[in-house]
Amino acid sequence: MRFYGLTDVGKKRTDNEDRFYIGDAKGYCILADGMGGRLYGEVASSMAVEAVSSHLEADLPGSLGRLERNEQASLLVNLLDEWIRDANAAIYRRGQEDDRYQEMGTTVVVLFSLDRQIVLGHVGDSRAYRFRGGELAQITEDHSFVNSQVKSGMLTEEEAARSHQKNIITRALGTASKVKPELRVHQFQPGDVFLVCSDGLTDMVPDSEISSILARGGTMKELARALVDAANAAGGRDNITVILAEGES
Ligand SMILES: [Mn+2]
């Protein structure tokens, strides 16, 4: 699988607290959207990306390629779960040790591709989508207050999209001593395009527009640029990060 990532500070902020990393050789990407005010958000997001990527680079078992596909997937689910929990513990500890960092936290999305499977781990309201046959599907569930209200029937999707409480997240890395990451396995089909992004894209650009941009086609670089441009054209209220992934894994 090939990846292309692009991040942009947006139109309103002076700092970019989003971080991403692409591990081309191993076939994965990580995105983190930090929070906690001036500069501290980027400490949390950098720590999340570094903690998870250093495990992926150093600790993937060499025997992975010899396992059956379902065994590969379940091993990866367990490892990513553990590594995201490790990252949480490290960020939380830093916050406890240093008062300046007390309020910091971050989202995280990890997408690992292996043998026509995608293993996805996430915490928070950064998202992953699959674009298949012209249809865009969100494949992560936001850990956000408004999404919990949608699920319990208290808000419609439209009300949620307009809510002023949209940015309250219910799960983050670094804000509590323990976290429960969400892990999913998806089958990859030829032609699939995956999008991993921060809320700086999805708060500004509705899914229907993301879908029509992807439907235009082009290189991943062109598509990433077009998505970032659309978020900025809509106001660019937050940092915007997009990672596209396509091709056989
Ligand atoms: Mn954000």
Side-chain angles (χ1 to χ4, degrees):
M1 180 158 261
R2 297 182 311 279
F3 296 88
Y4 181 82
L6 182 63
T7 189
D8 189 272
V9 70
K11 296 282 194 199
K12 304 288 182 201
R13 303 276 174 99
T14 52
D15 298 304
N16 191 340
E17 299 183 329
D18 288 359
R19 291 289 183 274
F20 76 91
Y21 183 77
I22 291 170
D24 272 313
K26 303 252 158 113
Y28 69 90
C29 67
I30 306 171
L31 179 150
D33 176 351
M35 68 207 88
R38 250 185 99 243
L39 300 184
Y40 311 141
E42 69 189 50
V43 174
S45 55
S46 299
M47 284 183 75
V49 167
E50 279 163 26
V52 177
S53 65
S54 62
H55 278 303
L56 278 161
E57 293 299 330
D59 303 331
L60 276 178
S63 58
L64 203 57
R66 295 195 297 275
L67 298 175
E68 297 291 331
R69 292 178 77 236
N70 58 347
E71 291 171 339
Q72 288 177 343
S74 67
L75 180 58
L76 274 165
V77 162
N78 289 331
L79 289 173
L80 284 180
D81 182 75
E82 183 186 325
W83 295 341
I84 292 170
R85 289 173 193 264
D86 269 6
N88 176 72
I91 299 165
Y92 181 70
R93 253 194 327 270
R94 175 81 66 90
Q96 295 298 298
E97 286 162 6
D98 188 330
D99 283 348
R100 290 175 304 161
Y101 297 145
Q102 218 169 19
E103 300 291 306
M104 73 179 176
T106 183
T107 72
V108 73
V109 181
V110 186
L111 183 154
F112 189 96
S113 81
L114 180 72
D115 196 13
R116 289 168 289 114
Q117 300 183 94
I118 299 290
V119 181
L120 198 60
H122 93 285
V123 174
D125 66 352
S126 299
R127 292 180 177 175
Y129 290 88
R130 182 190 63 215
F131 188 67
R132 173 182 289 170
E135 297 284 332
L136 186 72
Q138 185 182 336
I139 55 174
T140 50
E141 194 168 278
D142 295 352
H143 299 142
S144 68
F145 177 66
V146 291
N147 189 45
S148 67
Q149 289 197 308
V150 169
K151 283 170 69 181
S152 66
M154 294 171 72
L155 281 185
T156 65
E157 300 265 356
E158 294 71 31
E159 287 165 342
R162 286 196 309 269
S163 170
H164 294 297
Q165 295 174 309
K166 199 158 60 168
N167 295 319
I168 302 174
I169 65 175
T170 50
R171 256 189 257 183
L173 288 195
T175 54
S177 62
K178 292 209 171 6
V179 74
K180 189 180 180 305
E182 202 160 320
L183 275 301
R184 292 280 181 272
V185 179
H186 296 270
Q187 303 307 310
F188 172 88
Q189 290 180 10
D192 283 354
V193 177
F194 290 86
L195 165 67
V196 175
C197 58
S198 61
D199 63 347
L201 177 72
T202 52
D203 280 352
M204 294 286 108
V205 185
D207 285 7
S208 57
E209 191 180 343
I210 294 174
S211 182
S212 57
I213 289 170
L214 295 176
R216 276 187 233 152
T219 65
M220 288 194 287
K221 189 175 177 179
E222 289 163 350
L223 293 173
R225 183 80 255 167
L227 291 168
V228 167
D229 287 350
N232 277 325
R237 281 203 298 272
D238 192 7
N239 308 141
I240 307 142
T241 304
V242 303
I243 306 171
L244 290 161
E246 65 178 23
E248 291 288 340
S249 51

